């Protein structure tokens, strides 16, 4: 005997309607005939948002909506795809930040864990998605945030084995950030971006067998105090969306999933910049 219960989404109804509208537009684009889908756009939107917010298993979502697991996956991937298509481009984000009068933006890499492993990497015996720094499998996603830590943009994913600087270079992000630094604006980052100190402002690294000067230590305290606020962006994404704490889908979809989550966050809070 099954037991039913009442639940409530921790998102505004307007956000569900927003996603529902995107799904409706996608069905029109595909030429989907009325009545041929098991779920309407509104119920599909709820399914997708439940997965993002609570990391609910597809098997459970499918059971709740009386559809097969394969249909549940199809609905989920469609929702992720239409949301990610509305994610902002970095050029637009930096332009909006300039218009908003920001003196700096922050950049920080985050590892989105995944349970997909055993993918051969360039190093024999080491999985492609294994991060030695985090001692876990995952994908490296770069996040640009406003001075108060609000996430503005997320990058496509790179394997967790790659360093933050390597991920920046692979995505060809540095030229855009270099343009932003004109007119005395800055991009703040941690020591993980040491190789790109000409573009990204980092703290002074303690010399081998030496110590930082008093001026350098004072700079580091000020820099780290301001930059640490930017790390709020990664935390906000992962605390809002449990799905970002561990992705069981293909690791290469992590970037698209993170971008979709960003779109939901922006719309639900009615804030982009």
């Amino acid at each position: 005997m099954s037991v039913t219960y009442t639940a409530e989404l921790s998102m505004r109804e307007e956000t569900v309607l927003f996603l529902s509208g995107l799904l409706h537009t996608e069905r029109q684009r595909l030429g989907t005939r009325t009545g041929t889908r098991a779920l309407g756009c509104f119920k599909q939107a709820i399914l997708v948002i439940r997965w993002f917010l609570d990391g609910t298993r597809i098997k459970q979502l499918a059971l709740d909506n009386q559809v097969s697991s394969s249909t549940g996956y199809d609905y989920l991937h469609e929702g992720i795809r239409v949301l990610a298509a509305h994610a902002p481009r970095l050029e637009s984000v930096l332009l909006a930040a300039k218009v908003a009068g920001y003196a700096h933006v922050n950049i920080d890499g985050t590892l989105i864990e995944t349970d997909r492993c055993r993918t051969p990497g360039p190093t024999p015996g080491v999985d492609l998605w294994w991060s030695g720094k985090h001692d876990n499998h995952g994908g490296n996603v770069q996040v640009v945030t406003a001075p108060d830590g609000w996430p503005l943009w997320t990058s496509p994913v790179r394997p967790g084995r790659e360093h933050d600087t390597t991920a920046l270079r692979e995505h060809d992000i540095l030229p855009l950030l270099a343009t932003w630094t004109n007119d005395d604006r800055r991009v703040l980052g941690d020591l993980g971006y040491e190789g790109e100190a000409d573009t990204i402002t980092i703290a002074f690294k303690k010399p081998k067998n030496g110590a930082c000067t008093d001026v350098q230590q004072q700079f580091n305290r000020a820099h780290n105090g301001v930059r640490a606020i930017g790390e709020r962006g990664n935390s906000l994404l992962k605390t809002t969306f449990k799905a970002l704490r561990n992705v069981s889908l293909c690791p290469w979809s992590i970037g698209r999933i993170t971008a979709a989550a960003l779109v939901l966050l922006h719309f639900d809070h009615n804030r982009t910049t």
Side-chain angles (χ1 to χ4, degrees):
M1 180 179 177
S2 61
V3 178
T4 61
Y5 62 93
T6 302
E8 184 175 329
L9 285 177
S10 56
M11 272 194 166
R12 297 185 300 136
E13 183 181 6
E14 289 82 353
T15 306
V16 182
L17 292 173
F18 165 69
L19 176 53
S20 179
L22 295 182
L23 293 170
H24 177 70
T25 301
E26 176 68 4
R27 292 187 185 190
Q28 287 185 320
R29 186 188 70 83
L30 296 173
T32 305
R33 299 191 308 276
T34 303
T36 58
R37 293 283 193 105
L39 294 182
C41 295
F42 187 78
K43 287 188 176 181
Q44 182 183 354
I46 293 175
L47 181 152
V48 173
I49 292 176
R50 282 183 62 193
W51 183 84
F52 271 101
L53 288 177
D54 301 323
T56 310
R57 295 172 300 131
I58 289 295
K59 183 177 180 180
Q60 183 62 54
L61 292 172
L63 180 63
D64 291 346
N65 289 279
Q66 298 180 337
V67 297
S68 66
S69 293
S70 61
T71 300
Y73 275 109
D74 288 341
Y75 282 156
L76 174 62
H77 285 295
E78 185 177 49
I80 293 171
R81 188 172 63 252
V82 299
L83 282 169
H86 284 73
R89 297 181 302 121
L90 183 56
E91 299 95 322
S92 301
V93 164
L94 294 178
L95 178 60
K98 179 180 179 180
V99 172
Y102 294 157
H104 75 273
V105 293
N106 309 288
I107 188 165
D108 191 25
T110 186
L111 187 83
I112 307 295
E113 295 182 3
T114 177
D115 54 10
R116 297 291 187 94
C117 56
R118 297 185 181 279
T119 303
T123 304
V126 180
D127 295 334
L128 179 66
W129 297 92
W130 177 257
S131 170
K133 176 182 176 180
H134 297 88
D135 198 28
N136 210 326
H137 291 87
N140 183 322
V141 174
Q142 301 294 303
V143 182
V144 172
T145 62
D148 64 352
W150 178 255
L152 302 174
W153 177 82
T154 60
S155 75
V157 69
R158 293 300 303 173
R161 65 180 297 278
E162 292 186 0
H163 195 270
D164 284 340
T165 304
T166 304
L168 280 183
R169 293 169 181 166
E170 287 292 333
H171 297 314
D172 203 24
I173 298 171
L174 287 166
L176 293 173
L177 296 181
T179 302
W180 160 263
T181 57
N182 295 334
D183 302 326
D184 294 328
R185 291 186 297 270
R186 293 179 179 270
V187 179
L188 304 186
D190 58 25
L191 286 174
Y193 301 100
E194 183 181 6
E196 296 296 340
D198 291 339
T199 302
I200 300 175
T201 303
I202 61 173
F204 287 98
K205 189 174 182 179
K206 181 180 178 181
K208 186 177 180 180
N209 300 322
C212 292
T213 66
D214 291 342
V215 174
Q216 290 174 335
Q217 290 179 17
Q218 184 178 4
F219 174 87
N220 286 353
R221 284 192 293 270
H223 174 273
N224 292 333
V226 174
R227 182 194 59 79
I229 300 174
E231 295 185 356
R232 171 179 175 262
N234 295 344
S235 177
L236 183 59
L237 284 168
K238 288 184 176 180
T239 54
T240 303
F241 303 104
K242 290 183 180 179
L244 296 183
R245 300 178 193 178
N246 187 287
V247 173
S248 60
L249 304 178
C250 173
W252 288 110
S253 68
I254 289 175
R256 190 162 57 249
I257 292 169
T258 309
L262 181 71
V263 173
L264 284 174
L265 186 72
H266 281 182
F267 190 90
D268 198 57
H269 288 262
N270 194 26
R271 178 183 175 183
T272 55
T273 305

